[in-house]
């Protein structure tokens, strides 16, 4: 074989190896991409898409109090829908829904979205969260929409720490004291020896009140 033919064969072989290497790299990247899973639960049914579904408990382990459902609902339809309720299948804790402002139902606007959880957003509070869910579990959550119906996903149960802290539940409020009750440690009567009129004990009748200069005129005459 002549020298020019050998050079041509080597060049063709190099091109084939280069293409094969690029194809292998591309297949590898595609394979890895297909294996990536979302961190939080997401599901689509009809025109409704629910993303980042989570159940967030109290921040401290074993701490009693409510838990919350956090998610973002997208409405890809041309008509608004209302979120009529959220339930935890299996007869678990009651979930109370509240819109971001005012009262009534949470609305998912047409071609828009609504966020549940976090300051200034709609809320979904699981009243007895400590008894209903456990950190580290996967909890089924059912979103009931006015037109789409039930949309169910499996949400991770996480404590309100780190990045989840701003979306977690608030601490359960303590019971307010009964009306008319005296706080512990507060005196129930007038201190012994005190004179309720504001004049010091034993002061002569008509004496000026403490702090007022005796005989000081109330107005400067002629000025």
């Amino acid at each position: 074989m002549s020298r020019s033919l050998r050079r041509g064969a080597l060049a063709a072989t190099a091109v084939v190896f280069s293409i094969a290497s690029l194809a292998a790299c591309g297949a590898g990247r595609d394979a890895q991409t297909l294996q990536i899973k979302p961190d939080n639960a997401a599901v689509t049914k009809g025109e409704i898409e629910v993303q980042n579904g989570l159940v967030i408990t109290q921040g401290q382990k074993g701490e009693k109090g409510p838990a919350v459902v956090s998610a973002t609902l997208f409405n890809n339809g041309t008509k608004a829908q209302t979120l009529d309720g959220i339930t935890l299948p299996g007869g678990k804790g009651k979930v109370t829904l509240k819109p971001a402002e005012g009262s009534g139902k949470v609305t998912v606007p047409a071609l828009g979205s609504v966020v549940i959880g976090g300051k200034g957003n709609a809320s979904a509070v699981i009243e007895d969260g400590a008894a209903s869910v456990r950190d580290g579990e996967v909890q089924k959550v059912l979103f009931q929409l006015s037109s789409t119906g039930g949309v169910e996903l499996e949400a991770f149960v996480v404590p309100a720490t780190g990045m989840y802290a701003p979306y977690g539940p608030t601490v359960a409020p303590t019971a307010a004291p009964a009306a008319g009750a005296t706080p512990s440690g507060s005196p129930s009567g007038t201190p012994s020896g005190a004179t309720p009129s504001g004049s010091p004990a034993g002061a002569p009748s008509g004496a000026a009140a403490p702090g007022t200069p005796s005989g000081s005129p109330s107005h400067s005459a002629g000025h």
Side-chain angles (χ1 to χ4, degrees), residues 26-97:
R29 284 196 295 270
D30 289 343
Q32 291 173 1
T33 301
L34 292 175
Q35 292 174 3
I36 294 175
K37 305 296 182 183
D39 290 337
N40 301 324
V43 66
T44 300
K45 181 180 178 181
E47 297 171 338
I48 295 296
E49 182 177 357
V50 183
Q51 292 187 2
N52 298 323
L54 289 168
V55 175
I56 307 177
T57 64
Q58 297 287 333
Q60 300 297 324
K61 184 178 181 180
E63 185 176 355
K64 294 182 179 180
V68 296
V69 176
S70 178
T72 302
L73 278 67
F74 295 89
N75 182 359
N76 298 314
T78 56
K79 293 183 179 180
Q81 293 196 43
T82 57
L83 178 60
D84 295 335
I86 296 178
T87 57
L88 307 182
K92 295 191 176 181
K94 178 183 177 182
V95 182
T96 302
L97 270 174

Side-chain angles (χ1 to χ4, degrees), residues 3 5-6 16 22 33 36 42-43 45 57 60 77 81 87 99 108 138 149 151 154-155 164 167 179 201:
R3 183 177 301 175
L5 290 176
R6 284 198 299 271
V16 171
L22 289 173
T33 301
I36 294 175
V43 66
K45 181 180 178 181
T57 64
Q60 300 297 324
Q81 293 196 43
T87 57
V108 190
V138 175
V151 181
E154 294 186 341
Y164 302 119
Y167 302 93

